[in-house]
Amino acid sequence: ELCRALTSVNVPFDRLLETLVEFLEHGNDWGARGGAALALGLLQQDRERIARILAARLEEETDIGVRLRLADALGHLGWHDRQIDRVLRNALQQEHHFQTRWKLIEAYALLTRKEEFIREQIAQPVLNATLDEKNRRQAFEILCQVEYYTNSLLHDIIQQLPAFSAPLG
């Protein structure tokens, strides 16, 4: 909360950035580092520089909670280039933690809007009736966030809803 509060205090941007990066890199616990990551993701100045800082930290961070917040921050920040693309794809290939993996999928989808990725990583899990409800719910929430709607996808989702798939009569 302190890190987020710092983003609304009238402090010179460079000093604020320096303070948050210090928390991110040297915070005593995952909460301080994760809070700094989220606060950095809220900043709307010098987004390319901040994205590179967050991406570099994502490559090094071992704590799942901090990785989750780094992915969330990158998604909110909205900066995307080849380096960020590479870091997110690498992190996604290596991530096994449920929530962190979904947060990386969300960030990548929000930043790239790559239709093939969205179809494979998000839409297909929504439609996969054999997948557990927790994964399907996460996929559906992300699908709504990226606002990926096609007529066929909506039709397929509706067909899976018992109230809509039962014949009238």
Side-chain angles (χ1 to χ4, degrees):
E1 291 303 316
L2 173 63
C3 291
R4 279 191 248 168
L6 286 172
T7 63
S8 60
V9 175
N10 191 13
V11 176
F13 178 77
D14 286 335
R15 180 69 183 127
L16 174 61
L17 183 60
E18 180 183 313
T19 301
L20 290 172
V21 169
E22 182 69 22
F23 275 126
L24 177 64
E25 294 178 350
H26 305 291
N28 290 334
D29 61 19
W30 73 271
R33 294 191 317 276
L38 288 175
L40 286 164
L42 296 174
L43 298 177
Q44 292 301 307
Q45 296 179 43
D46 207 353
R47 294 180 321 149
E48 179 180 2
R49 181 175 164 199
I50 293 170
R52 294 194 189 293
I53 291 167
L54 293 170
R57 191 70 210 145
L58 182 59
E59 289 182 303
E60 298 173 9
E61 185 60 55
T62 58
D63 186 278
I64 56 174
V66 180
R67 286 196 317 268
L68 184 144
R69 283 157 183 79
L70 285 162
D72 197 22
L74 280 166
H76 284 297
L77 190 61
W79 179 265
H80 180 256
D81 61 19
R82 278 194 271 211
Q83 178 188 355
I84 305 305
D85 189 274
R86 179 189 56 76
V87 168
L88 285 172
R89 278 187 290 115
N90 288 344
L92 190 52
Q93 288 174 353
Q94 298 171 20
E95 188 60 58
H96 299 291
H97 182 260
F98 172 82
Q99 290 174 311
T100 305
R101 182 167 173 68
W102 278 112
K103 196 51 79 172
L104 286 163
I105 289 171
E106 176 185 321
Y108 192 79
L110 286 169
L111 293 175
T112 67
R113 303 291 178 168
K114 290 183 178 178
E115 189 169 350
E116 183 178 340
F117 178 85
I118 293 170
R119 275 196 321 266
E120 290 175 5
Q121 298 294 321
I122 305 167
Q124 284 180 3
V126 167
L127 298 174
N128 185 348
T130 63
L131 195 61
D132 64 277
E133 183 182 340
K134 196 170 160 182
N135 276 293
R136 291 179 76 194
R137 187 176 326 123
Q138 285 290 96
F140 187 74
E141 287 175 13
I142 295 169
L143 193 66
C144 294
Q145 284 186 340
V146 297
E147 297 178 347
Y148 180 80
Y149 310 112
T150 64
N151 286 339
S152 63
L153 176 62
L154 292 174
H155 174 76
D156 291 345
I157 290 171
I158 289 170
Q159 290 302 310
Q160 289 191 13
L161 299 174
F164 294 106
S165 60
L168 295 175

